[in-house]
Amino acid sequence: MSEATRVLLDESRIPRAWYNIVPDLPAPPPPPLHPGTREPVGPEDLAPLFPMDLIAQEVSAERFVAIPDAVRDVYRLWRPTPLIRARRLERALGTPARIYYKYEGGSPAGSHKPNTAVPQAYYNAQQGIRRLTTETGAGQWGSSLAFACAQFGLECEIWMVRASYDQKPHRRSLMQVYGATVHASPSPVTKAGSAILAENPDSPGSLGIAISEAVEVAGGADDTRYALGSVLNHVLMHQTVIGEEALEQLAAFGETPDLIIGCTGGGSNFAGLTFPFIREKLAGRISPEIRAVEPAACPSFTRGRYAYDFGDTAGFTPLLKMHTLGHGFVPDPIHAGGLRYHGMSPLLSHMYELGMFQAVAKGQRECFEAGVRFARTEGIVPAPEPTHALAEAISEALRCKETGEEKVILTALCGHGHFDLNAYDRYLSGAMEDFELPQDRIEEALATLPGV
Amino acid sequence: MSEATRVLLDESRIPRAWYNIVPDLPAPPPPPLHPGTREPVGPEDLAPLFPMDLIAQEVSAERFVAIPDAVRDVYRLWRPTPLIRARRLERALGTPARIYYKYEGGSPAGSHKPNTAVPQAYYNAQQGIRRLTTETGAGQWGSSLAFACAQFGLECEIWMVRASYDQKPHRRSLMQVYGATVHASPSPVTKAGSAILAENPDSPGSLGIAISEAVEVAGGADDTRYALGSVLNHVLMHQTVIGEEALEQLAAFGETPDLIIGCTGGGSNFAGLTFPFIREKLAGRISPEIRAVEPAACPSFTRGRYAYDFGDTAGFTPLLKMHTLGHGFVPDPIHAGGLRYHGMSPLLSHMYELGMFQAVAKGQRECFEAGVRFARTEGIVPAPEPTHALAEAISEALRCKETGEEKVILTALCGHGHFDLNAYDRYLSGAMEDFELPQDRIEEALATLPGV
């Protein structure tokens, strides 16, 4: 076991291929269905929204997809990211466990999202597309796509949920620094937005509305496509650069993982970290437990149903078989905006049904407590999303303190919290709520399932 | 010349010593004078404010001071920092120049300030001190010291200028996440603060007032000392880890620098980058030009006087021989808060008089233009302070485009701008001012010099 604290890799070690886990699964995941015909969607259904290369990746049967040189060349700005042993946290906990975290917060946008934004912008530019549209809630995804578009000379048009647009002007400014156009959603520039504004001029908006607007504009113009920051297979695959690097780095530490923990919202960060390790596990080379952590306020794995549902609130997208609380579910306003999604990646949902990993849910106060503990020992202030994984890593390390077990725990610190200090302020002042989620609210939301 | 974009170093390459440039200078800098007696200050004058190890470093005649293992061990959390070639910026400019930047924004606090906060906290803890006090304007220094105190179990008490305390709650929250106590200055907990509040309960405060409060509390308690984030010799020396790493990394790129550019406020970032290179230049091994860039709104090198002046506005500190606009000078509210200091490091001032580097001044609009250009090509959004150095690097690269010169330019990107997006917003909306600084305002401020 190495004495190092951080293992860095030279840029020549940026992975040369993304890993596609689908062909390694014992059964393929159920296909998305067309919302009208309820037949499996084909490439032609997706072509108005995505470029052909990404559609091909979405349904690829190849285990590895080569990363284009132009994409690796942008990755070089911040990749490989460091794998860090949390020695100071371990010491403060008095645990015999060894905790490693893969830190993605050093990217230009401060999170793991550029790992997929960059190839998405690249493939669109290759196909001659001129403009990308997307939606963003808190702004992590929007700023990542704006950065990526700047790299490939694409215009970027973003619909940002009105409530965030007003309350988080800094995230909006970040997108604009990268040259993007940002609309408060609902906006008067789309039919979907105009209709909602006509009914309620003061609508605070929602991610569902913002998706509708971005999709409407992309679908209505030949030179424009849409980009999604999580959930879909190709997005999860792009994130596997995290796990591929971590595999090499953990080996450089001389370690084999016993437990791998990641937070789940749409699932891209969790998949990015774990898929390469699951590949090695399936091959019998390692045998770690794998654990997803979701917010108790939005518990799609632990309290949702595995069923076909819409990806958006409005019911415009294809139907996806996934763990979902129902597309009518409106989560309480927890600060981990990236985890407030009613559904879950269909691929991860399928793997969960196959028993390939566990899931637990946590309240946000425990998570922020972990975030503060982490900041005071390791220095980095974590974004609210990865505090969920850190809280579980800390619980587990404290269990090891009881048992004396020298467990090797690996987790992903997928973003820094410099944009989330108002949430920490709320926690430190004692004003942060732990929302209860009564079963009848879940039942009510599940009643919005389309019953396919 | 290497094909790499980033050169990373293994943590074993964290420097083992800080470099003290004083013994290498042709003449020693003039000593600080006691504000009462106007005699050179001795260690006993400084002992109520600083621990003996730091006082010894302040007047050291040794060329190298060993970095304690416990300090290197904290540095390990983010050091060595990367040296990055700005290939995308070069391409966008169409310049034959090669631009390298040393990026310090990956530290826990997002800037170079922890490089000195950590050893300052360490030496105080070693001497049995229980609490550190300091002042902070925009919060970069305060959050760095708060982080460092958390590492060594010290209490940290910070006086934050009232105007920033109210307008920048995120920076205050960051200090609190690290466990510090933050007072709005003027505060009722000190005599200095109370006196000002009695006169004006709505005082917006100033750095000078905040210094007075922090110094008063440190001077009044045996278990408490004061910490300063720039200006003094020991602070500049701690920052030389930047330049020592950059020397090794630039050599790994196969390059010799022709021009080194840094921004100057109190001088610590500029000194940290340049001193190791100046050592090599004095030894005849390299011959780069060295250039400081200061804000046109606070031009201590280019329009100030080299004279004894107080370090603070109120006139409580020792008299320092430095380039100063007069301690009565109140700079216009430019967004680069870290560069709004009436004076300059006495050591750098002395070296400037010796002709060891040049200085230029820039308006903030040109700097933000450079910041946006940098973000859209290199990805990282720079803090307002280092945009001054980037603007000069870009001008120089464009001059090289005219002449065809393949100049090797090295600069320091001393912090990220994720806390400064309101300033970018102001720039992008066209509302940012370039303040004129008429000569009569400078003359008026220079009239506040004590005339020693």
Side-chain angles (χ1 to χ4, degrees), chain A residues 5 11 151 177-178 376 379, chain B residues 5 11 88 177-178 376 379:
Chain A
T5 293
E11 64 193 38
Q151 291 295 326
V177 166
Y178 288 132
R376 290 183 186 177
Chain B
T5 292
E11 63 193 41
R88 288 162 185 276
V177 166
Y178 288 131
R376 290 184 186 175

Side-chain angles (χ1 to χ4, degrees), chain A residues 186-328:
Chain A
S187 77
V189 304
T190 66
K191 284 181 209 157
S194 302
I196 288 163
L197 288 174
E199 210 169 288
N200 177 12
D202 297 324
S203 165
S206 73
L207 215 46
I209 296 168
I211 293 176
S212 305
E213 295 197 89
V215 165
E216 177 186 323
V217 171
D222 275 352
D223 62 354
T224 303
R225 292 291 182 278
Y226 167 74
L228 195 67
S230 190
V231 178
L232 298 181
N233 296 358
H234 67 274
V235 180
L236 273 56
M237 187 184 74
H238 295 156
Q239 293 293 353
T240 58
V241 291
I242 301 173
E244 296 291 4
E245 290 175 8
L247 257 179
E248 178 171 348
Q249 290 166 310
L250 203 58
F253 270 110
E255 295 278 33
T256 305
D258 296 310
L259 173 63
I260 305 177
I261 303 171
C263 63
T264 47
S268 75
N269 163 64
F270 176 79
L273 175 68
T274 61
F275 281 5
F277 286 91
I278 294 176
R279 176 187 68 221
E280 299 305 304
K281 186 177 179 178
L282 289 170
R285 285 187 281 267
I286 53 176
S287 51
E289 282 184 272
I290 316 272
R291 195 172 297 159
V293 189
E294 61 185 13
C298 196
S300 48
F301 276 133
T302 53
R303 297 176 70 190
R305 191 172 297 163
Y306 185 52
Y308 271 104
D309 195 8
F310 295 104
D312 65 334
T313 312
F316 291 165
T317 70
L319 289 159
L320 307 169
K321 183 120 187 224
M322 60 184 174
H323 288 86
T324 176
L325 296 158
H327 64 281

Side-chain angles (χ1 to χ4, degrees), chain A residues 16 44 55 76 137 147 150 209 351 358 366 392 431 441:
Chain A
R16 294 183 181 274
E44 67 288 357
I55 294 171
R76 229 177 283 271
F147 154 69
I209 296 168
M351 291 170 64
Q358 317 147 8
E366 180 188 349
E392 180 64 11
R441 246 182 83 199

